[in-house]
PDB file of all heavy atoms in Angstrom:
ATOM      1  N   GLN T  14      74.797 153.184  96.629  1.00 97.00           N
ATOM      2  CA  GLN T  14      75.136 152.953  95.224  1.00 97.00           C
ATOM      3  C   GLN T  14      76.397 152.092  95.180  1.00 97.00           C
ATOM      4  O   GLN T  14      77.433 152.479  95.738  1.00 97.00           O
ATOM      5  CB  GLN T  14      75.380 154.282  94.502  1.00 97.00           C
ATOM      6  CG  GLN T  14      75.840 154.138  93.068  1.00 97.00           C
ATOM      7  CD  GLN T  14      74.765 153.582  92.158  1.00 97.00           C
ATOM      8  OE1 GLN T  14      73.596 153.935  92.273  1.00 97.00           O
ATOM      9  NE2 GLN T  14      75.159 152.705  91.241  1.00 97.00           N
ATOM     10  N   MET T  15      76.299 150.953  94.528  1.00 97.00           N
ATOM     11  CA  MET T  15      77.426 150.017  94.452  1.00 97.00           C
ATOM     12  C   MET T  15      77.832 149.849  92.998  1.00 97.00           C
ATOM     13  O   MET T  15      77.023 149.421  92.169  1.00 97.00           O
ATOM     14  CB  MET T  15      77.029 148.670  95.053  1.00 97.00           C
ATOM     15  CG  MET T  15      76.597 148.771  96.509  1.00 97.00           C
ATOM     16  SD  MET T  15      76.224 147.174  97.264  1.00 97.00           S
ATOM     17  CE  MET T  15      74.620 146.851  96.536  1.00 97.00           C
ATOM     18  N   ASN T  16      79.070 150.195  92.687  1.00 97.00           N
ATOM     19  CA  ASN T  16      79.599 150.077  91.334  1.00 97.00           C
ATOM     20  C   ASN T  16      80.692 149.007  91.285  1.00 97.00           C
ATOM     21  O   ASN T  16      81.247 148.618  92.317  1.00 97.00           O
ATOM     22  CB  ASN T  16      80.177 151.423  90.885  1.00 97.00           C
ATOM     23  CG  ASN T  16      79.133 152.518  90.836  1.00 97.00           C
ATOM     24  OD1 ASN T  16      77.971 152.281  90.514  1.00 97.00           O
ATOM     25  ND2 ASN T  16      79.537 153.740  91.174  1.00 97.00           N
ATOM     26  N   SER T  17      80.984 148.572  90.081  1.00 97.00           N
ATOM     27  CA  SER T  17      82.059 147.593  89.856  1.00 97.00           C
ATOM     28  C   SER T  17      81.950 146.424  90.822  1.00 97.00           C
ATOM     29  O   SER T  17      82.922 146.058  91.497  1.00 97.00           O
ATOM     30  CB  SER T  17      83.422 148.283  90.004  1.00 97.00           C
ATOM     31  OG  SER T  17      83.534 149.369  89.124  1.00 97.00           O
ATOM     32  N   LEU T  18      80.786 145.849  90.878  1.00 97.00           N
ATOM     33  CA  LEU T  18      80.541 144.793  91.852  1.00 97.00           C
ATOM     34  C   LEU T  18      81.353 143.541  91.555  1.00 97.00           C
ATOM     35  O   LEU T  18      81.627 143.204  90.392  1.00 97.00           O
ATOM     36  CB  LEU T  18      79.053 144.468  91.898  1.00 97.00           C
ATOM     37  CG  LEU T  18      78.235 145.489  92.703  1.00 97.00           C
ATOM     38  CD1 LEU T  18      76.768 145.401  92.351  1.00 97.00           C
ATOM     39  CD2 LEU T  18      78.461 145.281  94.186  1.00 97.00           C
ATOM     40  N   LYS T  19      81.728 142.861  92.631  1.00 96.00           N
ATOM     41  CA  LYS T  19      82.532 141.644  92.554  1.00 96.00           C
ATOM     42  C   LYS T  19      81.769 140.511  93.228  1.00 96.00           C
ATOM     43  O   LYS T  19      80.924 140.752  94.091  1.00 96.00           O
ATOM     44  CB  LYS T  19      83.861 141.858  93.280  1.00 96.00           C
ATOM     45  CG  LYS T  19      84.644 143.072  92.838  1.00 96.00           C
ATOM     46  CD  LYS T  19      85.849 143.296  93.734  1.00 96.00           C
ATOM     47  CE  LYS T  19      86.604 144.553  93.347  1.00 96.00           C
ATOM     48  NZ  LYS T  19      87.777 144.786  94.227  1.00 96.00           N
ATOM     49  N   PRO T  20      82.091 139.279  92.880  1.00 96.00           N
ATOM     50  CA  PRO T  20      81.419 138.153  93.557  1.00 96.00           C
ATOM     51  C   PRO T  20      81.576 138.203  95.079  1.00 96.00           C
ATOM     52  O   PRO T  20      80.650 137.797  95.804  1.00 96.00           O
ATOM     53  CB  PRO T  20      82.117 136.934  92.965  1.00 96.00           C
ATOM     54  CG  PRO T  20      82.530 137.376  91.595  1.00 96.00           C
ATOM     55  CD  PRO T  20      82.924 138.825  91.759  1.00 96.00           C
ATOM     56  N   GLU T  21      82.696 138.730  95.550  1.00 95.00           N
ATOM     57  CA  GLU T  21      82.900 138.799  97.007  1.00 95.00           C
ATOM     58  C   GLU T  21      82.039 139.864  97.677  1.00 95.00           C
ATOM     59  O   GLU T  21      82.034 139.968  98.909  1.00 95.00           O
ATOM     60  CB  GLU T  21      84.370 139.037  97.339  1.00 95.00           C
ATOM     61  CG  GLU T  21      85.003 140.199  96.606  1.00 95.00           C
ATOM     62  CD  GLU T  21      85.756 139.748  95.350  1.00 95.00           C
ATOM     63  OE1 GLU T  21      85.231 138.871  94.617  1.00 95.00           O
ATOM     64  OE2 GLU T  21      86.853 140.302  95.112  1.00 95.00           O
ATOM     65  N   ASP T  22      81.308 140.657  96.905  1.00 96.00           N
ATOM     66  CA  ASP T  22      80.341 141.593  97.474  1.00 96.00           C
ATOM     67  C   ASP T  22      79.012 140.909  97.793  1.00 96.00           C
ATOM     68  O   ASP T  22      78.114 141.534  98.370  1.00 96.00           O
ATOM     69  CB  ASP T  22      80.086 142.755  96.516  1.00 96.00           C
ATOM     70  CG  ASP T  22      81.307 143.636  96.329  1.00 96.00           C
ATOM     71  OD1 ASP T  22      81.982 143.959  97.327  1.00 96.00           O
ATOM     72  OD2 ASP T  22      81.573 144.020  95.167  1.00 96.00           O
ATOM     73  N   THR T  23      78.886 139.656  97.413  1.00 97.00           N
ATOM     74  CA  THR T  23      77.673 138.903  97.713  1.00 97.00           C
ATOM     75  C   THR T  23      77.484 138.795  99.219  1.00 97.00           C
ATOM     76  O   THR T  23      78.381 138.344  99.930  1.00 97.00           O
ATOM     77  CB  THR T  23      77.746 137.503  97.090  1.00 97.00           C
ATOM     78  OG1 THR T  23      77.770 137.624  95.669  1.00 97.00           O
ATOM     79  CG2 THR T  23      76.552 136.658  97.516  1.00 97.00           C
ATOM     80  N   ALA T  24      76.315 139.212  99.691  1.00 97.00           N
ATOM     81  CA  ALA T  24      76.054 139.229 101.126  1.00 97.00           C
ATOM     82  C   ALA T  24      74.620 139.678 101.371  1.00 97.00           C
ATOM     83  O   ALA T  24      73.939 140.155 100.453  1.00 97.00           O
ATOM     84  CB  ALA T  24      77.013 140.178 101.848  1.00 97.00           C
ATOM     85  N   VAL T  25      74.189 139.563 102.615  1.00 97.00           N
ATOM     86  CA  VAL T  25      72.970 140.225 103.059  1.00 97.00           C
ATOM     87  C   VAL T  25      73.378 141.616 103.530  1.00 97.00           C
ATOM     88  O   VAL T  25      74.274 141.753 104.357  1.00 97.00           O
ATOM     89  CB  VAL T  25      72.271 139.456 104.189  1.00 97.00           C
ATOM     90  CG1 VAL T  25      71.047 140.222 104.670  1.00 97.00           C
ATOM     91  CG2 VAL T  25      71.879 138.051 103.715  1.00 97.00           C
ATOM     92  N   TYR T  26      72.711 142.620 103.003  1.00 98.00           N
ATOM     93  CA  TYR T  26      73.030 144.007 103.331  1.00 98.00           C
ATOM     94  C   TYR T  26      71.983 144.561 104.286  1.00 98.00           C
ATOM     95  O   TYR T  26      70.776 144.438 104.044  1.00 98.00           O
ATOM     96  CB  TYR T  26      73.089 144.843 102.058  1.00 98.00           C
ATOM     97  CG  TYR T  26      74.372 144.633 101.292  1.00 98.00           C
ATOM     98  CD1 TYR T  26      74.589 143.453 100.567  1.00 98.00           C
ATOM     99  CD2 TYR T  26      75.382 145.586 101.300  1.00 98.00           C
ATOM    100  CE1 TYR T  26      75.776 143.251  99.880  1.00 98.00           C
ATOM    101  CE2 TYR T  26      76.574 145.391 100.610  1.00 98.00           C
ATOM    102  CZ  TYR T  26      76.760 144.214  99.903  1.00 98.00           C
ATOM    103  OH  TYR T  26      77.940 144.011  99.227  1.00 98.00           O
ATOM    104  N   TYR T  27      72.472 145.200 105.362  1.00 98.00           N
ATOM    105  CA  TYR T  27      71.608 145.735 106.403  1.00 98.00           C
ATOM    106  C   TYR T  27      71.766 147.252 106.493  1.00 98.00           C
ATOM    107  O   TYR T  27      72.891 147.764 106.520  1.00 98.00           O
ATOM    108  CB  TYR T  27      71.962 145.141 107.762  1.00 98.00           C
ATOM    109  CG  TYR T  27      71.806 143.648 107.859  1.00 98.00           C
ATOM    110  CD1 TYR T  27      72.865 142.803 107.558  1.00 98.00           C
ATOM    111  CD2 TYR T  27      70.602 143.090 108.266  1.00 98.00           C
ATOM    112  CE1 TYR T  27      72.727 141.432 107.650  1.00 98.00           C
ATOM    113  CE2 TYR T  27      70.460 141.712 108.370  1.00 98.00           C
ATOM    114  CZ  TYR T  27      71.522 140.889 108.058  1.00 98.00           C
ATOM    115  OH  TYR T  27      71.378 139.529 108.155  1.00 98.00           O
ATOM    116  N   CYS T  28      70.662 147.928 106.592  1.00 97.00           N
ATOM    117  CA  CYS T  28      70.650 149.358 106.884  1.00 97.00           C
ATOM    118  C   CYS T  28      70.620 149.534 108.400  1.00 97.00           C
ATOM    119  O   CYS T  28      69.909 148.798 109.100  1.00 97.00           O
ATOM    120  CB  CYS T  28      69.415 149.987 106.241  1.00 97.00           C
ATOM    121  SG  CYS T  28      69.257 151.758 106.495  1.00 97.00           S
ATOM    122  N   VAL T  29      71.391 150.499 108.905  1.00 96.00           N
ATOM    123  CA  VAL T  29      71.452 150.741 110.343  1.00 96.00           C
ATOM    124  C   VAL T  29      71.321 152.235 110.616  1.00 96.00           C
ATOM    125  O   VAL T  29      71.632 153.060 109.750  1.00 96.00           O
ATOM    126  CB  VAL T  29      72.765 150.203 110.958  1.00 96.00           C
ATOM    127  CG1 VAL T  29      72.866 148.705 110.810  1.00 96.00           C
ATOM    128  CG2 VAL T  29      73.978 150.881 110.320  1.00 96.00           C
ATOM    129  N   ALA T  30      70.880 152.557 111.825  1.00 94.00           N
ATOM    130  CA  ALA T  30      70.718 153.957 112.212  1.00 94.00           C
ATOM    131  C   ALA T  30      71.051 154.125 113.690  1.00 94.00           C
ATOM    132  O   ALA T  30      70.891 153.201 114.484  1.00 94.00           O
ATOM    133  CB  ALA T  30      69.293 154.429 111.943  1.00 94.00           C
ATOM    134  N   ASP T  31      71.516 155.316 114.015  1.00 93.00           N
ATOM    135  CA  ASP T  31      71.813 155.626 115.419  1.00 93.00           C
ATOM    136  C   ASP T  31      71.842 157.132 115.594  1.00 93.00           C
ATOM    137  O   ASP T  31      72.366 157.849 114.735  1.00 93.00           O
ATOM    138  CB  ASP T  31      73.154 155.010 115.824  1.00 93.00           C
ATOM    139  CG  ASP T  31      73.327 154.917 117.327  1.00 93.00           C
ATOM    140  OD1 ASP T  31      73.388 155.969 117.980  1.00 93.00           O
ATOM    141  OD2 ASP T  31      73.399 153.787 117.837  1.00 93.00           O
ATOM    142  N   GLY T  32      71.307 157.595 116.708  1.00 89.00           N
ATOM    143  CA  GLY T  32      71.246 159.028 116.973  1.00 89.00           C
ATOM    144  C   GLY T  32      72.388 159.551 117.812  1.00 89.00           C
ATOM    145  O   GLY T  32      72.405 160.736 118.169  1.00 89.00           O
ATOM    146  N   SER T  33      73.360 158.718 118.121  1.00 89.00           N
ATOM    147  CA  SER T  33      74.477 159.175 118.947  1.00 89.00           C
ATOM    148  C   SER T  33      75.334 160.172 118.183  1.00 89.00           C
ATOM    149  O   SER T  33      75.604 159.980 116.995  1.00 89.00           O
ATOM    150  CB  SER T  33      75.335 157.982 119.361  1.00 89.00           C
ATOM    151  OG  SER T  33      74.580 157.075 120.122  1.00 89.00           O
ATOM    152  N   PRO T  34      75.789 161.218 118.857  1.00 83.00           N
ATOM    153  CA  PRO T  34      76.549 162.258 118.149  1.00 83.00           C
ATOM    154  C   PRO T  34      77.929 161.816 117.693  1.00 83.00           C
ATOM    155  O   PRO T  34      78.495 162.405 116.772  1.00 83.00           O
ATOM    156  CB  PRO T  34      76.645 163.376 119.191  1.00 83.00           C
ATOM    157  CG  PRO T  34      76.492 162.692 120.508  1.00 83.00           C
ATOM    158  CD  PRO T  34      75.555 161.544 120.259  1.00 83.00           C
ATOM    159  N   TYR T  35      78.497 160.772 118.312  1.00 87.00           N
ATOM    160  CA  TYR T  35      79.860 160.362 117.977  1.00 87.00           C
ATOM    161  C   TYR T  35      79.913 159.350 116.836  1.00 87.00           C
ATOM    162  O   TYR T  35      80.966 159.070 116.285  1.00 87.00           O
ATOM    163  CB  TYR T  35      80.533 159.738 119.204  1.00 87.00           C
ATOM    164  CG  TYR T  35      79.881 158.457 119.670  1.00 87.00           C
ATOM    165  CD1 TYR T  35      80.252 157.233 119.132  1.00 87.00           C
ATOM    166  CD2 TYR T  35      78.886 158.485 120.639  1.00 87.00           C
ATOM    167  CE1 TYR T  35      79.649 156.061 119.542  1.00 87.00           C
ATOM    168  CE2 TYR T  35      78.278 157.317 121.052  1.00 87.00           C
ATOM    169  CZ  TYR T  35      78.661 156.104 120.504  1.00 87.00           C
ATOM    170  OH  TYR T  35      78.069 154.946 120.912  1.00 87.00           O
ATOM    171  N   ILE T  36      78.757 158.808 116.483  1.00 91.00           N
ATOM    172  CA  ILE T  36      78.767 157.682 115.543  1.00 91.00           C
ATOM    173  C   ILE T  36      79.114 158.161 114.145  1.00 91.00           C
ATOM    174  O   ILE T  36      78.830 159.298 113.768  1.00 91.00           O
ATOM    175  CB  ILE T  36      77.416 156.941 115.591  1.00 91.00           C
ATOM    176  CG1 ILE T  36      77.614 155.453 115.294  1.00 91.00           C
ATOM    177  CG2 ILE T  36      76.391 157.561 114.658  1.00 91.00           C
ATOM    178  CD1 ILE T  36      76.558 154.584 115.869  1.00 91.00           C
ATOM    179  N   CYS T  37      79.752 157.288 113.380  1.00 92.00           N
ATOM    180  CA  CYS T  37      80.200 157.569 112.008  1.00 92.00           C
ATOM    181  C   CYS T  37      81.332 158.595 111.982  1.00 92.00           C
ATOM    182  O   CYS T  37      81.571 159.223 110.970  1.00 92.00           O
ATOM    183  CB  CYS T  37      79.053 158.020 111.113  1.00 92.00           C
ATOM    184  SG  CYS T  37      79.452 157.900 109.336  1.00 92.00           S
ATOM    185  N   ARG T  38      82.036 158.738 113.078  1.00 92.00           N
ATOM    186  CA  ARG T  38      83.252 159.550 113.033  1.00 92.00           C
ATOM    187  C   ARG T  38      84.427 158.722 112.539  1.00 92.00           C
ATOM    188  O   ARG T  38      85.518 159.238 112.293  1.00 92.00           O
ATOM    189  CB  ARG T  38      83.553 160.143 114.409  1.00 92.00           C
ATOM    190  CG  ARG T  38      82.568 161.220 114.809  1.00 92.00           C
ATOM    191  CD  ARG T  38      82.942 161.872 116.121  1.00 92.00           C
ATOM    192  NE  ARG T  38      81.979 162.925 116.472  1.00 92.00           N
ATOM    193  CZ  ARG T  38      82.021 163.621 117.585  1.00 92.00           C
ATOM    194  NH1 ARG T  38      82.985 163.418 118.472  1.00 92.00           N
ATOM    195  NH2 ARG T  38      81.107 164.540 117.823  1.00 92.00           N
ATOM    196  N   GLY T  39      84.195 157.414 112.444  1.00 89.00           N
ATOM    197  CA  GLY T  39      85.182 156.493 111.906  1.00 89.00           C
ATOM    198  C   GLY T  39      84.471 155.412 111.129  1.00 89.00           C
ATOM    199  O   GLY T  39      83.266 155.527 110.861  1.00 89.00           O
ATOM    200  N   PRO T  40      85.160 154.358 110.740  1.00 89.00           N
ATOM    201  CA  PRO T  40      84.524 153.259 110.010  1.00 89.00           C
ATOM    202  C   PRO T  40      83.321 152.719 110.776  1.00 89.00           C
ATOM    203  O   PRO T  40      83.374 152.583 112.003  1.00 89.00           O
ATOM    204  CB  PRO T  40      85.635 152.218 109.916  1.00 89.00           C
ATOM    205  CG  PRO T  40      86.896 153.011 110.001  1.00 89.00           C
ATOM    206  CD  PRO T  40      86.604 154.140 110.931  1.00 89.00           C
ATOM    207  N   PRO T  41      82.218 152.407 110.094  1.00 91.00           N
ATOM    208  CA  PRO T  41      80.978 152.034 110.776  1.00 91.00           C
ATOM    209  C   PRO T  41      81.093 150.803 111.663  1.00 91.00           C
ATOM    210  O   PRO T  41      80.369 150.678 112.658  1.00 91.00           O
ATOM    211  CB  PRO T  41      79.984 151.812 109.631  1.00 91.00           C
ATOM    212  CG  PRO T  41      80.824 151.611 108.419  1.00 91.00           C
ATOM    213  CD  PRO T  41      82.055 152.415 108.639  1.00 91.00           C
ATOM    214  N   GLY T  42      81.986 149.881 111.314  1.00 90.00           N
ATOM    215  CA  GLY T  42      82.130 148.676 112.117  1.00 90.00           C
ATOM    216  C   GLY T  42      82.696 148.905 113.502  1.00 90.00           C
ATOM    217  O   GLY T  42      82.673 148.005 114.345  1.00 90.00           O
ATOM    218  N   ARG T  43      83.159 150.111 113.731  1.00 91.00           N
ATOM    219  CA  ARG T  43      83.751 150.442 115.021  1.00 91.00           C
ATOM    220  C   ARG T  43      82.675 150.659 116.089  1.00 91.00           C
ATOM    221  O   ARG T  43      82.970 150.640 117.290  1.00 91.00           O
ATOM    222  CB  ARG T  43      84.582 151.712 114.859  1.00 91.00           C
ATOM    223  CG  ARG T  43      85.343 152.171 116.095  1.00 91.00           C
ATOM    224  CD  ARG T  43      86.124 153.436 115.784  1.00 91.00           C
ATOM    225  NE  ARG T  43      87.143 153.229 114.760  1.00 91.00           N
ATOM    226  CZ  ARG T  43      87.929 154.184 114.284  1.00 91.00           C
ATOM    227  NH1 ARG T  43      87.787 155.426 114.721  1.00 91.00           N
ATOM    228  NH2 ARG T  43      88.835 153.931 113.375  1.00 91.00           N
ATOM    229  N   TYR T  44      81.435 150.885 115.669  1.00 91.00           N
ATOM    230  CA  TYR T  44      80.382 151.295 116.604  1.00 91.00           C
ATOM    231  C   TYR T  44      79.279 150.248 116.720  1.00 91.00           C
ATOM    232  O   TYR T  44      79.093 149.417 115.835  1.00 91.00           O
ATOM    233  CB  TYR T  44      79.754 152.608 116.117  1.00 91.00           C
ATOM    234  CG  TYR T  44      80.774 153.681 115.845  1.00 91.00           C
ATOM    235  CD1 TYR T  44      81.215 153.938 114.553  1.00 91.00           C
ATOM    236  CD2 TYR T  44      81.301 154.449 116.877  1.00 91.00           C
ATOM    237  CE1 TYR T  44      82.151 154.919 114.296  1.00 91.00           C
ATOM    238  CE2 TYR T  44      82.236 155.442 116.630  1.00 91.00           C
ATOM    239  CZ  TYR T  44      82.670 155.668 115.337  1.00 91.00           C
ATOM    240  OH  TYR T  44      83.597 156.645 115.091  1.00 91.00           O
ATOM    241  N   ASN T  45      78.543 150.315 117.813  1.00 93.00           N
ATOM    242  CA  ASN T  45      77.342 149.499 118.016  1.00 93.00           C
ATOM    243  C   ASN T  45      76.136 150.340 117.628  1.00 93.00           C
ATOM    244  O   ASN T  45      75.744 151.245 118.349  1.00 93.00           O
ATOM    245  CB  ASN T  45      77.227 149.063 119.475  1.00 93.00           C
ATOM    246  CG  ASN T  45      78.315 148.109 119.874  1.00 93.00           C
ATOM    247  OD1 ASN T  45      78.669 147.209 119.114  1.00 93.00           O
ATOM    248  ND2 ASN T  45      78.861 148.287 121.060  1.00 93.00           N
TER     249      ASN T  45
END
């Protein structure tokens, strides 16, 4: 859910998934 959208939010958005137990313990960009 994206609210108060700005022009700089323009992008291709990708859904990602991973079964590793450590993933999403921090910002998503930190992980592969």
Side-chain angles (χ1 to χ4, degrees):
Q14 176 68 40
M15 301 184 284
N16 298 326
S17 303
L18 282 161
K19 307 173 183 179
E21 51 264 42
D22 294 316
T23 295
V25 177
Y26 283 74
Y27 299 90
C28 181
V29 297
D31 198 295
S33 299
Y35 64 87
I36 211 155
C37 197
R38 290 185 179 177
R43 183 180 297 178
Y44 308 99
N45 293 319

